[in-house]
Amino acid sequence: MTVKKIINNGADAVDEMLAGILAAHPNHLKRVEGTARSVVAVDGPRQGKVGLVIGGGSGHEPSFVGFVGRGLADGAAIGNVFASPPPDPVLECAKAVNGGSGVLFMYGNYAGDVMNFDMAAEMAAMEDIEVRTILTTDDVASAPRDRRADRRGVAGNVFVFKIAGAAADRMMDIDACEAAARKANDRTFTMGVALGPCSLPQTRKPNFELGENEMEIGMGIHGEPGVERGPLKSANEITDQLLDKILPEMNAPRGDRVAVLVNGLGATPLMELYIMMARVKERLDGEGLVIHSTLVGNYCSSLDMMGASVTLMHLDEELQSLLDHPCDCAMFRSGR
């Protein structure tokens, strides 16, 4: 089966997408001179501020480029669809956002990203730029609790990046920014469900198969195998299954506050995401947990995959304050 797409040539889709993003958001984004895949905020760098570089493969929009702007990331390096950016655009981002107080590299825990960002960090060190790396590991399905460091980074990126960006925007030093980001990652948990495959622009064919009435719990945002495949269930049953994995790990006492993200994977209508959100609220109320803030929509997608994920971040006073810090990005704005 060939999937219909509004593209010109599949091989050019990423570069043409970036051209469109830059055309649409000139007040937020600009390309780094000399590299096609490095995008930075128009108002940076700021002297004395820790720089934040995020990045990864294309196909997850608005991640990553959509989260570049004042109060969040200073730059993003963009790879091909579901592929890590090579070291050079990461390095160019680091150089472009360096304000003299060091740079944080933040991205999901995937082998290709780790290899290429680490190479870029070594190259940056040779140019006297201090780099600290924080891997996001929020995907509960991808490894057991005692191997948390092996987990993938998925939609929880949004919260972890937001915390780090706010800390940097408040001119906290690199030690404090790193500590806040690591705390946010440690307190962020995601579980997802896939109802149908995505299709790459180069092939226009589904990248995995699910039966007409099947779903898969825990499938990754690139189509990595999940933990359970079975018959399609109701929205409440699906949401319960996701939360039943998250809540015991989060282990938040009654009365504590959480941030909630109900994330679409690209082809799931907002109606369905809000139906899930209603059940999340019921369950959290039953647990005695207070919802401090909520995001519903596509924040870390998987091209045109049918499915969704639920992310909870267990807040404390510091994380709540940083989460509320204003940001103004191309595809995300928040602040109180």
Side-chain angles (χ1 to χ4, degrees):
M1 182 180 72
T2 300
V3 179
K4 296 177 183 177
K5 290 187 178 292
I6 302 176
I7 58 175
N8 295 311
N9 183 313
D12 299 328
V14 173
D15 291 319
E16 291 182 349
M17 174 194 70
L18 281 174
I21 288 171
L22 290 165
H25 302 286
N27 294 328
H28 291 91
L29 302 173
K30 63 183 179 182
R31 200 190 303 268
V32 178
E33 188 174 348
T35 177
R37 298 287 183 85
S38 297
V39 176
V40 295
V42 296
D43 68 348
R46 284 151 56 197
Q47 193 63 32
K49 176 187 173 299
V50 173
L52 174 57
V53 173
I54 62 175
S58 300
H60 304 303
E61 291 72 35
S63 295
F64 297 88
V65 63
F67 302 132
V68 174
R70 180 90 181 201
L72 219 156
D74 298 290
I78 310 302
N80 289 328
V81 174
F82 296 174
S84 170
D88 286 344
V90 180
L91 173 63
E92 293 306 316
C93 265
K95 290 160 62 176
V97 308
N98 178 34
S101 294
V103 175
L104 295 180
F105 283 177
M106 296 187 65
Y107 52 92
N109 184 26
Y110 299 92
D113 290 300
V114 172
M115 178 178 68
N116 289 340
F117 274 83
D118 280 355
M119 289 177 63
E122 293 174 3
M123 295 158 68
M126 293 191 298
E127 304 208 22
D128 294 324
I129 300 173
E130 180 183 6
V131 171
R132 307 272 184 93
T133 295
I134 298 102
L135 302 180
T136 57
T137 57
D138 58 296
D139 186 4
V140 172
S142 56
R145 193 180 313 192
D146 60 357
R147 289 174 40 223
R148 172 73 193 259
D150 295 333
R151 289 177 173 173
R152 302 182 291 242
V154 286
N157 283 340
V158 179
F159 287 147
V160 184
F161 295 167
K162 176 71 179 69
I163 296 300
D169 195 48
R170 289 182 175 180
M171 306 301 286
M172 294 164 63
D173 66 27
I174 194 166
D175 290 334
C177 290
E178 180 183 8
R182 292 194 184 281
K183 182 202 288 187
N185 181 64
D186 289 344
R187 295 167 71 100
T188 301
F189 307 88
T190 301
M191 279 288 292
V193 60
L195 308 185
C198 60
S199 54
L200 277 61
Q202 299 94 323
T203 65
R204 294 196 297 140
K205 295 187 181 299
N207 69 338
F208 61 88
E209 293 184 4
L210 268 176
E212 184 175 324
N213 294 303
E214 281 188 319
M215 66 178 195
E216 185 159 339
I217 296 290
M219 179 168 281
I221 56 174
H222 310 107
E224 298 95 337
V227 294
E228 181 182 339
R229 181 176 289 206
L232 179 63
K233 298 180 180 179
S234 70
N236 284 358
E237 289 173 313
I238 291 170
T239 306
D240 285 346
Q241 200 164 348
L242 302 182
L243 289 173
D244 286 346
K245 298 289 187 182
I246 292 173
L247 289 170
E249 282 217 18
M250 189 171 68
N251 195 28
R254 296 181 71 86
D256 277 15
R257 293 178 175 267
V258 296
V260 176
L261 166 60
V262 179
N263 174 65
L265 296 178
T268 305
L270 279 171
M271 175 186 286
E272 297 172 24
L273 299 180
Y274 278 108
I275 291 171
M276 293 180 69
M277 179 61 215
R279 184 59 172 177
V280 170
K281 176 71 162 59
E282 289 179 5
R283 286 291 306 273
L284 295 181
D285 285 349
E287 297 285 331
L289 298 175
V290 178
I291 297 177
H292 173 70
S293 62
T294 302
L295 298 174
V296 178
N298 287 351
Y299 288 87
C300 181
S301 64
S302 184
L303 290 171
D304 52 349
M305 187 184 291
M306 290 183 288
S309 62
V310 174
T311 301
L312 300 182
M313 182 167 67
H314 183 195
L315 299 172
D316 63 7
E317 288 188 10
E318 180 189 33
L319 294 180
Q320 180 174 314
S321 175
L322 291 170
L323 189 66
D324 290 344
H325 185 80
C327 71
D328 183 13
C329 306
M331 304 177 197
F332 180 57
R333 295 167 185 82
S334 73
R336 298 189 176 190

